Amino acid sequence: RAMGYKRSERRMIAVEKRLREGMTSKGIMGQTQDTIVQAITSFALYGFPESHAASFALLAYASAFLKCHYLAAFTAAALNNQPMGFYDAITLVKDAQRHGLHFLPVDVELSGWLCLVEECGGERKVRLGFNYVKGFSRETAEAIIAERTRAPFASIEELRRRIPQITKEELKILADLGALNPIGARHRRDALWQSELALRPIGYLLESAEPPEIPSPLLPMNPVERLQADFANTGFSIGAHPMRFCREQLEVMRVISADQAKHLPDGSPVRVAGMVICRQQPQTAKGFVFLSLEDETGIVNVILKPKVFARLRVTVLSHSYLLVRGVLQNQRGVVSVKAVDVRPSPQPSNASVPSHDFH
C-alpha cells in the first residue's frame, strides 16, 4: 500500500525501519539489504503514476475502439452525459463531423429528450434531443413525445392546442431552431410567424376550426443568422463551424487553418486563429499558458511563455476567438504554435461558447 500511494516516499521511510528489521531477522544483511531497500524505494517513486497510467490507458483504448467502430453511439452517449471531460459539446460535435458523422436537428416529430441514433439509408446519424434546447422544460418535451405518439402534428397551431403547457418562449425557441419546420413551416422565420399566430387568444381559435392562413412576410434566415440562432438556443451548431464564415477574410490576413499547420515544417512563422476551447495554466508549468484553438479543420495548440502571457493577459483571457502570430513547432507529428503576439480574431457575432479554463 505504501508503494502504491501517491507521493509515497514519506510512507516508505516510515516502513523502512521495520523492513530492515525483518530482513535482519532472516539473515539478509549489509549490501544486499541496501540494494533491496533502494530497489523498493525507487519503484515507489513511480508505482503510483504507473498504476494510474495503466488505468487511463484502458479507458483510452476502450474509448478509442468505440469511437472508431461505433462513432454515432459513442458521440450520442458523450453528448447525453455532459458536462464531462475536457471538451464542450461543440468540440465533440465538430470532431465527430470531421470523422464523417452526420447530425440531425431537433425535430418536434422525431427528437427524444436525449440525443438518439437514427438509421438513415444504411447510415447511422445522431438526432439532437430536446435536452440541448436552452430554456425548454423536460415536462413540455415529454408531453410533445406522448402526443405525437398518439397522432402526428398537422401544424404549429395544432401543436399549440394539443400541448397547452407549452409557453410562448418555448414555442419561439423551437421555431428559431427550425424544430417546427417539419410541421408546416417553410423556414425558421416562417415558423416564428406561425407561432405568433398560434398564440392568439384561445377564444379567437375557437371561432373557427381552421383559422385562415396568413402568409409570412419574413425572409428566411441566412447561414450566419441560422448559426447565431443555433448558438443562442443550444450552445452550438451542427451546421458549418463559425470559423468557416471568416475564412476568406482570414486568408487575406495570411492566417492558415489547423489542417494546413500540420503540413508545414518546424520553425515556420505562422498565423493561426480559432475559437478558444481551452485555456490551461498548470501549476507545474512555471508560468507557461497553453491554449487550444478550434477552426473548421481541427484544433491547434498554442504555447505562451510567461512574459508573453503577462504582456497579453487581458486579450488572451477576455476574447472567445483569438488570432495568434508565432513560430510553428512540428515535431514527430505533434503540432503547436509558440506565440509571439495574440489579438482578437474575426468571428461571426454572438456565436461563441465559454472555454474550459484550468489552473
Side-chain angles (χ1 to χ4, degrees):
R1 284 197 296 269
M3 286 191 294
Y5 187 77
K6 187 176 183 182
R7 296 182 179 88
S8 59
E9 188 174 6
R10 183 180 300 175
R11 285 193 171 198
M12 286 302 299
I13 292 172
V15 300
E16 182 179 338
K17 182 180 178 181
R18 291 171 54 200
L19 179 63
R20 286 186 179 275
E21 289 173 350
M23 287 192 289
T24 299
S25 69
K26 297 293 184 181
I28 302 171
M29 309 290 289
Q31 183 62 43
T32 303
Q33 190 177 109
D34 292 339
T35 301
I36 292 172
V37 170
Q38 182 182 9
I40 293 174
T41 304
S42 297
F43 175 80
L45 295 176
Y46 68 86
F48 173 78
E50 181 187 51
S51 62
H52 266 233
S55 299
F56 281 112
L58 178 60
L59 289 173
Y61 178 83
S63 298
F65 180 89
L66 292 171
K67 182 177 178 181
C68 181
H69 296 286
Y70 303 94
L71 180 58
F74 177 83
T75 304
L79 290 174
N80 287 337
N81 286 280
Q82 293 296 313
M84 60 173 286
F86 206 70
Y87 298 114
D88 200 276
I90 183 175
T91 302
L92 298 177
V93 167
K94 294 307 172 189
D95 178 75
Q97 287 176 325
R98 287 191 291 270
H99 284 85
L101 182 65
H102 291 92
F103 289 81
L104 300 168
V106 179
D107 184 329
V108 292
E109 290 284 18
L110 296 171
S111 289
W113 172 248
L114 297 176
C115 299
L116 303 170
V117 176
E118 289 188 15
E119 286 274 357
C120 302
E123 179 184 358
R124 289 184 174 88
K125 302 180 181 181
V126 173
R127 169 77 64 183
L128 294 185
F130 291 115
N131 59 326
Y132 271 97
V133 182
K134 294 180 180 179
F136 197 76
S137 74
R138 185 162 187 166
E139 179 187 6
T140 302
E142 290 177 346
I144 289 174
I145 294 167
E147 271 296 308
R148 78 183 186 211
T149 302
R150 189 173 62 82
F153 300 110
S155 66
I156 296 173
E157 185 269 326
E158 183 184 302
L159 170 71
R160 172 71 180 91
R161 280 191 284 112
R162 289 170 57 186
I163 313 294
Q165 68 265 47
I166 194 168
T167 67
K168 178 179 181 179
E169 186 58 30
E170 287 176 327
L171 203 60
K172 178 184 179 299
I173 291 169
L174 292 178
D176 213 27
L177 275 175
L180 300 179
N181 288 6
I183 56 173
R186 292 176 293 125
H187 51 76
R188 298 190 191 195
R189 287 208 174 109
D190 184 37
L192 286 167
W193 176 266
Q194 291 189 42
S195 298
E196 289 295 329
L197 294 179
L199 289 164
R200 288 171 295 186
I202 296 296
Y204 176 85
L205 295 176
L206 292 176
E207 292 175 7
S208 170
E210 290 292 333
E213 290 188 7
I214 304 175
S216 166
L218 305 175
L219 295 175
M221 293 182 181
N222 62 40
V224 173
E225 289 170 334
R226 290 198 299 271
L227 174 77
Q228 292 169 348
D230 288 345
F231 268 79
N233 293 301
T234 66
F236 62 92
S237 175
I238 62 172
H241 192 283
M243 293 301 294
R244 180 172 294 179
F245 297 99
C246 310
R247 184 53 57 190
E248 288 187 14
Q249 182 181 357
L250 292 170
E251 287 177 349
V252 172
M253 301 168 69
R254 293 183 297 171
V255 175
I256 64 171
S257 68
D259 184 62
Q260 289 172 320
K262 297 177 184 177
H263 306 289
L264 294 178
D266 183 58
S268 300
V270 294
R271 288 185 175 92
V272 295
M275 180 171 61
V276 183
I277 60 174
C278 182
R279 297 179 178 90
Q280 296 184 79
Q281 191 176 15
Q283 294 181 356
T284 57
K286 299 180 180 179
F288 281 76
V289 173
F290 305 92
L291 307 177
S292 294
L293 305 182
E294 183 185 73
D295 66 15
E296 71 274 27
T297 68
I299 297 172
V300 61
N301 295 310
V302 178
I303 304 168
L304 291 94
K305 291 183 176 180
K307 289 184 178 179
V308 176
F309 177 63
R311 175 168 54 89
L312 301 168
R313 180 186 184 91
V314 174
T315 300
V316 170
L317 297 181
S318 59
H319 293 275
S320 299
Y321 290 77
L322 293 175
L323 191 158
V324 176
R325 178 172 61 87
V327 178
L328 184 71
Q329 294 183 321
N330 192 343
Q331 300 173 354
R332 291 180 292 182
V334 178
V335 176
S336 58
V337 175
K338 189 179 292 184
V340 174
D341 186 47
V342 181
R343 61 186 62 188
S345 169
Q347 67 174 85
S349 60
N350 302 322
S352 62
V353 294
S355 67
H356 283 197
D357 296 343
F358 301 91
H359 296 279

